[in-house]
Amino acid sequence: MSIWVRISDFVADRATTALSGLVESVRTVFAGDPATRRRVAFSIAMIALSAKMAKADGIVTVDEVDAFREIFEIPADDARRVAGLYNLAKQDVAGYEAYARQVAGLCGSGKADCPLLIDVLDGLFHIAKADGVVHAKELHFLTEVAEIFGVSSTEFERVVARHVDAGHRDPYRILGLDRGVSHGEGRRRYLKLVRDNHPDQLIARGLPEEFVKIANDRIAAINDSWELIEPELRRG
């Protein structure tokens, strides 16, 4: 059974016309199945926040909708279910802050730089840049969401660096390295990032398998950044 069937059935059982109360319900309904609970909660978070981001920007472009479908690799049979969930989120009167706070609670109170929440941000950036640029209103929205998520400014800058090309991407920012770092230290950091962001690791912490494109894109950015600075670090 696909994750979209599980979510659609979950929403139907609650007979709700809003998604804003569902994240909390996920905790209890799927209490005995933590893997499914994480997948359902993450997917609802992505649907809700991407729909709210589209409203914040003022328009919903075809590119943004296609990007949402792309990162989730939605089967044709499930497309109508996902569209219905997306429309529920757009129509919900609850503000994005309410959604973001509920999603932040999935990582526990006061937990900074929660990997699952950074995964959500990566997905939102992927959708935001689908039309070729992350617009000012979208960046403001994403900055506010990151603050609610408890993501540090340093970590948020790394996320931004992976997606926003301000003339050139800074590979040091993407890898979280200071200039002047030794080759050995840089390589250790690079290998740790590759391990931590392997698609299997992301799935283990709650990303649906349908979301694996984000994991692959992140690994590609990490590898590209290392290839750029590795020769320089070797020369020392």
Side-chain angles (χ1 to χ4, degrees), residues 76-93:
D77 291 345
D78 291 335
R80 290 183 62 186
R81 290 187 177 91
V82 177
L85 294 167
Y86 197 79
N87 286 331
L88 277 180
K90 285 195 297 183
Q91 295 163 11
D92 192 354
V93 296

